[in-house]
Every structure is written in C-alpha cells, then in structure tokens.
Amino acid sequence: MLMNGFDNGVLPLLGFAMLALAVVAFVLALVAREDAYRAADKQSKTFWLVILGVTVVVDFFLGMLFLEIAGLVATIVFFVDVRPALKQVSGGGRRSGGSSSDGPYGPYNGGR
C-alpha cells in the first residue's frame, strides 16, 4: 500500500519537477547570446540546446528513469555552472555598490 501511494503520488510530482526544471533551463539557454557561451569558455549554445531539448523530450514523452536522471544532471550542470558564467559575461546580475536610483550614466540626483 505504501509503494502504491509512492508510485501514484511522489514519482509523478518528481517527474513534473524535473520536466519544469528542464523547460526553464532550455528557455534560459535559448535566450542567451551565442557569443556569451564562447566568452564564458563553455560549450556552444547549440550543444546546450540539444542536450536540454533532448532532456525535455525524454521527460515529457519517454519517461525512462535512467535518461531522466542523466537529463537532470545536465540541467543541474547548466544551472550551477553555465548560467552563472553566462550572466557574468553578459553583465547580468546586480551591480555592487550601486543604488536603486542609479541610471546608466550615474546616480540620479533629482534634477539638482
């Protein structure tokens, strides 16, 4: 009875979570610029789109546990290693030491 609840409750939730992570990673890889991958010294954009795209297809259609786990590892590597490097190269993230009223040419002083 416990295994039946696990098979019908927990495993589908884990599958949906892995699918959601893969879709988000695929979209983030898609919107990043190609030259950012080269500048960050990472694999190409096409490489990551293929890997993450296959992960989405496997998670959505096939449901083979071994391939889902391999795709989860690739998704985690993208989030932990590739995406922060892309953000750093692309100038993403928060600037240190700046104010929320800073504009592109320095601080806004209210017209004074």
Side-chain angles (χ1 to χ4, degrees):
M1 180 156 163
L2 182 61
M3 282 304 289
N4 190 20
F6 187 75
D7 288 341
N8 293 332
V10 175
L11 285 181
L13 288 177
L14 289 175
F16 289 136
M18 289 191 303
L19 176 63
L21 280 174
V23 168
V24 169
F26 181 79
V27 169
L28 290 173
L30 188 63
V31 299
R33 295 183 351 220
E34 173 67 36
D35 61 338
Y37 287 88
R38 289 190 304 266
D41 199 26
K42 301 296 175 188
Q43 292 289 336
S44 69
K45 180 176 184 174
T46 305
F47 173 84
W48 282 107
L49 288 177
V50 167
I51 294 295
L52 295 171
V54 167
T55 300
V56 169
V57 169
V58 166
D59 286 349
F60 193 73
F61 293 112
L62 298 180
M64 297 173 65
L65 186 61
F66 176 75
L67 293 176
E68 287 179 347
I69 292 173
L72 180 63
V73 169
T75 303
I76 291 171
V77 167
F78 180 81
F79 275 120
V80 171
D81 183 40
V82 177
R83 184 161 182 258
L86 293 176
K87 283 179 68 175
Q88 184 178 14
V89 168
S90 299
R94 300 184 62 92
R95 290 181 285 175
S96 61
S99 170
S100 63
S101 65
D102 283 356
Y105 305 109
Y108 178 71
N109 61 6
R112 292 181 247 161

